[in-house]
Structure formats: structure tokens, C-alpha cells
């Protein structure tokens, strides 16, 4: 490989545009093809503002390419969850007991546009919109496209093809269908789907709920969440069973049923959403799936990254962050062994696969936590103690959430193993009343709790290790 | 649904022929289509005898259709593992400490033929061989076939279609490709493959190794196993990495390398396999994969069973048993709610899915156990104590292996959860020297061990429950 290699990137979403920018910075010739129109000049989302949670793993990648500060300017910090009960009472639960640890609501379109604009500043980058990839020949490293406007089809040959074409990846599909190697593949859907709604800004353009929080209305079998936008609105998402449960998307098929459902379950949110029934009927119901697969690469020819390799459900707010981290890790591997793409791809996959699997599993777990556990007394006690521990022992204690979200130097897999053991330790110590849950513990009392939690966590990890069959 | 429903079964392997027999016994009109020739009149395996392990879940299903006794006549009981080390030393490890608990080596072809012959005795059954299913229209409940001999294609319409067409199921593929519903699907390959070899009978037609055992040559990164056949031969299977490790299938590409590998690693087996290099080169290398999916049915039209729904790797000896158990469970559901196929299918799936997932996971786990742990001192101590416990407390103690293999009234999922907790308890008690490993323990000493294991197992299950996020 040399810097004159012609690199083709399929998909100019968040991952693809960041990858294009980074490879351009490294001196490669990069051509990017995207099926959709240029989102900087077209209003794709038809009036709806889609936001995502950006956190430290994402920032690390943005820092690498030099756009962190610009991205922070369009971020709205969310310091914790604000839980809404059915009576409309709210209670806050911080994401961290440490100062400066929070997540950020950011517009997908604005961030994507920023990355495209940065990439385009490099003369070794070309961007092609409205060109749908129809198939990829992984043996000959060529991709076929159709131009949406002219309907013409054409083929692009490259030295290397990166598939950053999302959960429905054409490149991944060709791995599956061409059967050139044993391809382990899984797509797992939750029984729940989602629908986006909007709480508009008030007449002064201000937010109608606290903009410092991610709002959650947990109801066990379903839940509503809301993230703030810069224009004063909130993007609201309902997570609900497709066909299961007393209430489900299939059954909510009349204006009356929709209104009654919200009136009964989310009255305070209903008051802020105009024309709920119309929005509900007009907006699509999306599926929630996890994709895992292996291998990610073929020879020195192709590699999939981001959602194409590991789509996750949205409940840890890590989908974009994980995709951005892919670029960070690929860049580290290039620092180590640039020169032969097949060596780079193999090393990248070895470093990354276990962590990608872990965030997929963590995201599914967090669905149950958000839906059920944030309203569970034992869980609430656990979170309260964790906040105290993080506040008083900021260098000793990190919750699972903190390890996943704010500790970009720990891999997702390590965060998962350690975080699960720690959660198990805490929940069992609380259930057995082995640690105090007094309201105002002294630092000495808290130190005792910390010691117990650390000991129990280590015991759990040690016992798992002894019993591990691998 | 009524007894005049025309039922189409695609695939006349072990699961399909048992299902055909049972549905015929219940009075349904059944047509079975199979791509291969009739194995009762054709020598399909080209001189190789393929055997499988039949155990209590399988026998339960065979009992249901009245062929248990006939099947037992062609079984060779295997009472335990016989481990072979590199020096050719052997040591035995029983499957159970109870009397009468053993697994059975049986010829796949002979058992399949027996089921086909039984099914054919019913005039409401027709069998069609050499007809390859090319596609299934799940909406219109029709299947297209090609006759191998005449090359003619034709379509069969039915009221219900059962897909028992194995790991490469055409019916499952149509679920995946037609996208009529969200289809969760996974295919996971091990990095290891397998190759079958043969130890022939001696010149007197006798077995050259103990026929009362399943033989294992565990070597960490790879292993050899051998199961006895009725004709005095053994079917030997080598499990080895496709491309990984010092030795692997890709690298063993010359006569010399193959011979040296066996001479170094399996000298006692090598002495009994004539023409190893030729057999090695001629026999195909197979892949080892696990398939899971959901849903298994579409409306009241179609259902997949057996490997088509849940292919597993062979390391628990439960693939055939699990497929047979599918028929037992479907029959139980028919007893409860015969009348509407969609209700039957839904209820069947609800009862069966969790157990099918569990045996898939158990089988992968057991690979590591067979390959690595049967030669591990802690594991050997555990097995020894388990044998003693089962012998002296036959109604109180059941190892994970016994629950999975000999306790057909416990589902795989329950066996997995309880068995894993029990293994973890035992291994940790042993590692911490909390239980005695004296050679000849009195019953009183053993009872103390039993109590400790039971207590620790319950603690583990309880702590898992408290920490469970679902």
C-alpha cells in the first residue's frame, strides 16, 4: 500500500465522513459515495430534528481530526436523567458524581455536515451524493452505483473499499451472500420498536422542559425519552412493543387510542406535544436491532466499520461514539503497521471485535435498566451510593456507566466485565443490607462501603475466572 | 385445521422422518420430500459409517412413536469417556455415578431408515426422494421442487409446510429473504472445523479399542474423538483450527505433515488408522456452526424444526436428541390445543425457543470442556467428586451433564442455569480447598460436600437473580 492507493468509502454518514477526513489527513486519495443527497443543502429529515448523545469516546475521535472544539459549540450538555412518573413528578439522577462528566445532545445532521465540510477542505477527497451503491465485488475491489438523478449505473474500481454504509450495509451483504469464507453473522431484533415525536419550543423559542437532562418516562413495558435540541425543541422517542403487551404499536391504531394511551401514561409529555395523534400516525415506526458479524475484512481489499460492522440499539447512547472510536482504533493501527492493508485490517479486527460485541450487549442490557430499573428502589439506592462514591473517591470509583461513557481509555469489553461485577456486588450488598444506605454518610462510612464493594467485586471476578470454561 | 389438512414435510432426515411418523399416527395426511436418494437403498456415505450419540431425550421421542426397543437393538452403550494422553496412556471418566445412565452410539443411516420404514407403514404418508426443494412461498403455502433424475420442476401446494431441512434450510432462508417480518437470525462458526476418519475392525471383525467408551484425545488447541460402530469399526473425528494455531487444516497439506502431526499428537490412534494421509486428503473438511433464529413459524402456514431452527455444534452429543425432543414438544402442544395451527406454532415456539438456545450454548461450552478441561486437574477433581455424589446420593445430586443428557423431564435451559451454577460452586470450593478431595470419603464426609455444594449453588443462583437486569 502507498499513499497513492485509491480509497473508496461507501457511505458518508457519521462514520464514513469522519473516516474520509482522517484518511485524507493521512494523505490518502479518498472518494466517498453516498446514496442520499448532501444533507448540508437538503432538508432530509422533513422538519424533524434528530439528535444523538455524544460523549468522551466520540470526542476523542473528533479531537484526533481537530474538530472537537467546533463540535462542542453545538452540544447541549445533559448532566443526568430526569425521571417522570405517571403523576408528572420528576426526580433527577446524575450520570456521574464527578465534576465535568456529562453527555451531550447534538444534532446528527449538523455534526455530519461539519465533518463533510472538513473533509472537503482536503483536495485529495471527492464527495459524491445521490449515488446508491448496488453491489460490491470484493474479489476485484470494485463497487457498482446508480445515480439517483440520471438513473445511470456505473462501476468504480479502487485499491481498497471501506463500507461505512450503516446497519443495512451492501458490503456486509456481499460477505454474506458471496460465501467466500465462513461468515458469522447475527441480526437480533428487540420485540420493541420506536417512533419519534416532537416537543416544540415555547413561543419565546425556549425549552419547555429542563434542557440539562435526558428525560425518561419509564413504564416497565414501554418508555418515552426526550433529548433537547438547540432550537428549543425536544426530540421525543417512544419505545413500545410492536405487537406485545397491553399497549403496542399494532393496537394503537386510532386517534382515540393514541390520545388515551398518552393521557394515561405520559400526561405531562402529552401536554407539550401538539397534534400527537397526527404525528403518531405520520411518523414511521422503526425497528431496533443489533448486528454482529465476523470477519469484518476480506484480504487487503475491503473493511466494514461503524454500524455496518456492529449496529447497536440506542439505549447506551454509544452508537455514534462506538463508530467514531472505530476510526480512532484504525488510526492507531495505521500508526503501528501502515504498509499492508490486510495486516492493518486483521490487527484492527483483533483489537476491536470484542469491544464492539460488548457495546452491543451493554446497549440491550441498558434498555431493561432504563425501562424498568430506573424506577426500582434497589437500583435507585445503588445509583445514589455510586454518585456518593464517585464524588468522594473520584479516582477510585467508576460506575459501569462512567467506565463506558466517560473513560475512553478503557475498552468497552473491560468496562462491561468490571461494570457488571461491580453492579452485582453493589446490588447484592444492598439486598443483604451489608452496606449502609444512610442519607448523609461520613467519608469514613463511605470508605467502608467502597472497600466492601471493591472486595466483593474482586471476589466475583475471581470466582467467574475459576469457573470460566475457556 | 382438521385431519384432512395436507401436510408437507420438507426434508426426510432424522427430524423429518420422526415428525412424519408422529403426524401420521395422529391421523394427518403427510407428504415428505427429500433431496437425497432413499438411504435405505443407496449407500450414501461412500463407505463411511457416521454415528451419533443417542440419549434419554431422544429415547423419549422414540418411545412416543413406539420404536424405542428397535432402536436400542442397534445401539452401542458408551459408559464414559476414555481419555488418551500423548504417551498412549488412557484413563476413564464415567458419564454418571448412577447405574443405567449412559449414552449410545448409533448409526445415523440405520436409525433414519428405521423411522422411514415405520412412517411408510401408514397409508396416509407418501415419501418422495431425489426431489430438491428450490423455494418455498410462505404466503401461499407452496413449495417448488426439482426432480434430480428427470430435472423436471414442479410445485406442491399444502395446508401446512414443516421445514425439517437441516442447517441449510430453504424454508428458513425464505423467512430471511422475504422480509415479511422482523427475523432475528444468527449463524456463528467456530474457528475450528472437523474431518472424519476411520479405525477399521480387526481381522476378526472386533473393535480395536474399548467399545464401551467415547474415546477422546484432548490436546488443547485440537482433539480427536472416536465412537464405536456395530461392525467393529470406529468413526474418528478430528477437530482442528481451519487456519489458526501451529497445526491447522490449511497447513496440513502434505502426506508428511499429516503423518508427523498424528505421530506426534495421536500415536496410538495413528497405529490403528491405515492410509491416514489418503483418508485425510480425500475426506472433506466440515464447518462447525450454531444457528439460532426467531420466529420459527409464519401464520398458520409454516414451521421450522430441528437443525433448520437451531443447528448446534456436536460437542454435547445433543443435536439429534434436541431435534427429536422438538417432535415430543410439538406433540404435547397438539394434545393441548390441536385445532388452529397458528396457535399450535406460537405455543410450540414459546415452550421450545429458550431450550433450543440453551443447548446451542451448552454445545459450544462443551467444546472447550472436551478440548481443554478433561485434561485439567481441577476439572478432573470435580468430575471425580460428582461421580461419588451421584453414586451415593443418586436422587439428590445431578451433574450438569446428567441433567442435560439423562433427565428428559428437565428443559435444557433449566439444566444449563442450574448446571452452570453447580459447576461454578464446585470449582470454586475446590480451588479454595473448602471441600475435601480425599480418595475414599465416607458417606458422612460426602454428605458434607453435598451440603456445601448445594448451599453454594443456591447462593450463586440467588446472587445472579438479584443482579439480573431483566
Amino acid at each position: 500500500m502507498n499513499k497513492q492507493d485509491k480509497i473508496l468509502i461507501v457511505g458518508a454518514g457519521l462514520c464514513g465522513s469522519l473516516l474520509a477526513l482522517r484518511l485524507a489527513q493521512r494523505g490518502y486519495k479518498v472518494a466517498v459515495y453516498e446514496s442520499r443527497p448532501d444533507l448540508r443543502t437538503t432538508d432530509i429529515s422533513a422538519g424533524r430534528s434528530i439528535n444523538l448523545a455524544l460523549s468522551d469516546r466520540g470526542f476523542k475521535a473528533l479531537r484526533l481530526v481537530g474538530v472537537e472544539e467546533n463540535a462542542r459549540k453545538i452540544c447541549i450538555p445533559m448532566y443526568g436523567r430526569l425521571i417522570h412518573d405517571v403523576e408528572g413528578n420528576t426526580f433527577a439522577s446524575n450520570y456521574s458524581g464527578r465534576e465535568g462528566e456529562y453527555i451531550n445532545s447534538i444534532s446528527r445532521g449538523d455534526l455530519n455536515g461539519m465533518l463533510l465540510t472538513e473533509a472537503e477542505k482536503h483536495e485529495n477527497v471527492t464527495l459524491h451524493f445521490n449515488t446508491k451503491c448496488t453491489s460490491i465485488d470484493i474479489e476485484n475491489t470494485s463497487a457498482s452505483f446508480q445515480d439517483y438523478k440520471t438513473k445511470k449505473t456505473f462501476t468504480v474500481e479502487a485499491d481498497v473499499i471501506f463500507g461505512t454504509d450503516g446497519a443495512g450495509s451492501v458490503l456486509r451483504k456481499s460477505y454474506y451472500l458471496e460465501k467466500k469464507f465462513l461468515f458469522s453473522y447475527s441480526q437480533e431484533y428487540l420485540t420493541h420498536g420506536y417512533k419519534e415525536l416532537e416537543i416544540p419550543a415555547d413561543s419565546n423559542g425556549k425549552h419547555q422542559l429542563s434542557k440539562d437532562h435526558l428525560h425518561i418516562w419509564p413504564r416497565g413495558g414501554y418508555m418515552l425519552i426526550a433529548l433537547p435540541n438547540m432550537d428549543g425543541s425536544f426530540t421525543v422517542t417512544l419505545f413500545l412493543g410492536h405487537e406485545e403487551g397491553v399497549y403496542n404499536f399494532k393496537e394503537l391504531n386510532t386517534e382515540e387510542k393514541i390520545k388515551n394511551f398518552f393521557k394515561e401514561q405520559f400526561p405531562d409529555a402529552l401536554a407539550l406535544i401538539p397534534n400527537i395523534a397526527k404525528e403518531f400516525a405520520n411518523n414511521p415506526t422503526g425497528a431496533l436491532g443489533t448486528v454482529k458479524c465476523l470477519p469484518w475484512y476480506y484480504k487487503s481489499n475491503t473493511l466494514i466499520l461503524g454500524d455496518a460492522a456492529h449496529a447497536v440499539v440506542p439505549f447506551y447512547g454509544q452508537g455514534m461514539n462506538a463508530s467514531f472510536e472505530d476510526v480512532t482504533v484504525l488510526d492507531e493501527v495505521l500508526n503501528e503497521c501502515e504498509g499492508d492493508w490486510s495486516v492493518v485490517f486483521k490487527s484492527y479486527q483483533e483489537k476491536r471485535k470484542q469491544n464492539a460485541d460488548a457495546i452491543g450487549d451493554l446497549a440491550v442490557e441498558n434498555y431493561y435498566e432504563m425501562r424498568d430499573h430506573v424506577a426500582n428502589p434497589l437500583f435507585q439506592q445503588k445509583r445514589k451510593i455510586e454518585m456518593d462514591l464517585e464524588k468522594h473517591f473520584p479516582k477510585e470509583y467508576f460506575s459501569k456507566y462512567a467506565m463506558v461513557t466517560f473513560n475512553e481509555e478503557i475498552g468497552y469489553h473491560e468496562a462491561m466485565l468490571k461494570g457488571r461485577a461491580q453492579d452485582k456486588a453493589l446490588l447484592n450488598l444492598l439486598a443483604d443490607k451489608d452496606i449502609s444506605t444512610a442519607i448523609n454518610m461520613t467519608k469514613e462510612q463511605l470508605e467502608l462501603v467502597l472497600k466492601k464493594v471493591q472486595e466483593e467485586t474482586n471476589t466475583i471476578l475471581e470466582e467467574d475466572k475459576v469457573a470460566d470454561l475457556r
Side-chain angles (χ1 to χ4, degrees), chain A residues 70-126:
Chain A
N70 279 343
R72 287 201 186 266
K73 287 177 194 155
I74 54 170
C75 279
I76 305 180
M78 299 182 287
Y79 299 93
R81 297 164 173 162
L82 196 72
I83 318 290
H84 297 244
D85 73 13
V86 271
E87 276 84 38
N89 304 311
T90 59
F91 49 103
S93 169
N94 281 1
Y95 284 122
S96 172
R98 271 175 294 272
E99 290 289 312
E101 287 189 347
Y102 49 84
I103 63 175
N104 300 274
S105 180
I106 191 166
S107 153
R108 170 193 286 270
D110 290 350
L111 180 57
N112 204 154
M114 179 188 295
L115 291 168
L116 288 171
T117 299
E118 284 300 315
E120 224 169 20
K121 289 179 184 167
H122 295 262
E123 61 181 20
N124 46 337
V125 172
T126 59

Side-chain angles (χ1 to χ4, degrees), chain A residues 1 332-341 343-345 347:
Chain A
M1 114 183 156
E332 286 166 7
V333 173
L334 284 170
N335 288 341
E336 288 161 17
C337 57
E338 203 163 20
D340 178 340
W341 284 113
V343 174
V344 169
F345 293 168
S347 171

Side-chain angles (χ1 to χ4, degrees), chain A residues 219-235:
Chain A
R219 297 295 181 264
Y222 35 88
M223 71 170 172
L224 202 67
I225 68 167
L227 276 75
N229 296 311
M230 297 280 277
D231 65 1
S233 68
F234 281 85
T235 301

Side-chain angles (χ1 to χ4, degrees), chain A residues 15-66:
Chain A
C15 186
S17 51
L18 179 69
L19 178 66
L21 172 54
R22 186 58 195 156
L23 290 176
Q25 289 173 338
R26 293 191 76 105
Y28 291 99
K29 274 180 63 180
V30 181
V32 187
Y33 287 79
E34 165 62 44
S35 63
R36 283 167 291 196
D38 187 343
L39 50 69
R40 295 166 297 176
T41 55
T42 322
D43 188 359
I44 302 177
S45 59
R48 290 186 300 133
S49 168
I50 306 306
N51 47 33
L52 296 163
L54 178 60
S55 52
D56 294 55
R57 293 174 199 273
F59 280 123
K60 183 179 179 185
L62 295 177
R63 199 149 60 234
L64 175 71
V65 296

